[in-house]
Amino acid sequence: MTIQVFGYPKSTFTLVIFHVLKELGLSYETVQPSSHEEIKTPEYLATKHPFGKIPYLDDDGFHIYESRAIARYLVNKYQGTKNSTVLIPSDVQKAALMEQFISVEISYYTSPLFKMLFELLMKKRLQGSEPDSKIVNEAREELETTLDVYEKLLEGKDYLTGEFSLADLLHIPLTFYAFNVGEGDLWNKRPNVSRWWKNITERESWKNMITEYNLTA
Ligand SMILES: N[C@@H](CCC(=O)N[C@@H](CS)C(=O)NCC(=O)O)C(=O)O
Ligand SMILES: *[C@@H]1O[C@H](CO)[C@@H](O)[C@H](O)[C@H]1NC(C)=O
Ligand SMILES: *[C@@H]1O[C@H](CO)[C@@H](O)[C@H](O)[C@H]1NC(C)=O
Ligand SMILES: *[C@@H]1O[C@H](CO)[C@@H](O)[C@H](O)[C@H]1NC(C)=O
């Protein structure tokens, strides 16, 4: 049976799953919720995602939610079966360093970035109110601090662990939206960060994502 991804193609966490599937050379089917209400119904909460979120994955009857858990599952099950892309290294210490950077991504990168993008991109649509410039500025400051550290970490390296991995990939969709909303300067003004960003987004799989999901809106 085909792998089914339940989510909206514009949602950053759903894009992560599509991107992983593409890197691994897997085919999949997308099921879009009919409305935002659908992911809050008792049926959806009971059978798909108890917190009422997307994405959610069904792999031949195996059900899993939370994007990073879905990504690890897909890699652990399918890496190496369709092509030679390595997203999680087999070496235990290399894999541990990748996990370290995924924790960095969640804690210090995605946390302020999501806060900033929520204000700039989603607040109006979801809550009908204007972005709170105090929140935007605080989040931007936090991100500046994080990116200063990334600038050092990426010195002399093309990727966070030295080799492309799931840790790099997990940064892509949200950062892409930050560029779209005019905040790209945060990345561009740091030469090592900007080299990394160009490198990871020039991969075939991400270029295909942009075309297929019409992401340059
Ligand atoms: N921690 C979750 C986050 C998922 C998430 O926040 N999804 C958003 C879309 S990007 C969502 O379902 N929003 C709908 C809502 O919260 O009502 C993951 O990694 O999968
Ligand atoms: C794996 O397959 C996908 C889709 O065909 C492709 O985008 C990706 O570049 C491939 N990776 C390798 C290492 O062959
Ligand atoms: C970024 O990298 C260059 C060399 O690639 C280096 O000279 C520079 O000091 C780095 N920046 C920081 C803040 O570490
Ligand atoms: C990205 O880094 C890899 C590994 O060092 C290198 O082979 C490749 O040419 C770089 N790609 C781009 C687009 O900079």
Side-chain angles (χ1 to χ4, degrees):
M1 209 185 93
T2 320
I3 295 170
Q4 278 191 345
V5 184
F6 199 89
Y8 305 109
K10 298 272 177 209
S11 128
T12 54
F13 296 107
T14 307
L15 289 171
V16 161
I17 304 308
F18 295 157
H19 193 185
V20 167
L21 287 157
K22 285 195 190 304
E23 280 286 352
L24 297 174
L26 298 165
S27 54
Y28 56 94
E29 221 169 78
T30 310
V31 183
Q32 288 196 53
S34 55
S35 66
H36 186 250
E37 285 72 50
E38 184 183 343
I39 65 173
K40 308 294 174 188
T41 58
E43 204 257 333
Y44 186 84
L45 300 178
T47 62
K48 295 195 167 62
H49 197 312
F51 294 90
K53 306 277 180 188
I54 47 114
Y56 150 84
L57 184 104
D58 182 338
D59 182 17
D60 201 12
F62 175 68
H63 296 187
I64 181 163
Y65 56 86
E66 286 297 304
S67 57
R68 294 172 191 83
I70 297 170
R72 287 181 179 93
Y73 164 72
L74 289 169
V75 173
N76 290 329
K77 176 142 191 220
Y78 295 109
Q79 176 166 285
T81 63
K82 302 286 181 196
N83 70 22
S84 60
T85 305
V86 174
L87 294 180
I88 300 182
S90 56
D91 179 87
V92 171
Q93 292 179 341
K94 284 187 180 169
L97 293 175
M98 184 210 69
E99 289 298 341
Q100 167 194 282
F101 284 115
I102 291 179
S103 190
V104 164
E105 172 262 315
I106 298 172
S107 311
Y108 320 122
Y109 189 100
T110 291
S111 163
L113 180 51
F114 194 85
K115 221 188 305 173
M116 184 174 88
L117 291 178
F118 180 82
E119 292 297 319
L120 296 175
L121 277 176
M122 292 181 279
K123 200 165 187 178
K124 186 135 205 171
R125 189 162 49 83
L126 293 178
Q127 299 179 355
S129 50
E130 293 302 320
D132 180 332
S133 58
K134 187 166 173 282
I135 299 177
V136 173
N137 286 334
E138 277 169 10
R140 195 186 282 123
E141 279 309 308
E142 245 184 273
L143 209 48
E144 294 269 15
T145 306
T146 295
L147 288 172
D148 282 344
V149 180
Y150 272 58
E151 180 62 6
K152 290 200 182 76
L153 289 171
L154 288 163
E155 197 167 335
K157 274 201 277 178
D158 283 312
Y159 306 109
L160 290 166
T161 65
E163 282 157 40
F164 183 74
S165 75
L166 182 59
D168 301 292
L169 185 153
L170 288 169
H171 291 74
I172 296 178
L174 273 175
T175 310
F176 181 84
Y177 280 118
F179 271 79
N180 266 13
V181 81
E183 298 288 341
D185 186 49
L186 283 166
W187 286 262
N188 285 336
K189 70 184 181 191
R190 295 178 168 86
N192 298 298
V193 167
S194 139
R195 184 173 34 82
W196 167 70
W197 175 247
K198 288 207 181 75
N199 192 310
I200 63 178
T201 49
E202 265 166 29
R203 290 172 71 84
E204 207 53 44
S205 60
W206 180 250
K207 288 200 258 174
N208 290 341
M209 290 279 295
I210 293 183
T211 317
E212 182 167 345
Y213 296 108
N214 195 18
L215 295 179
T216 29

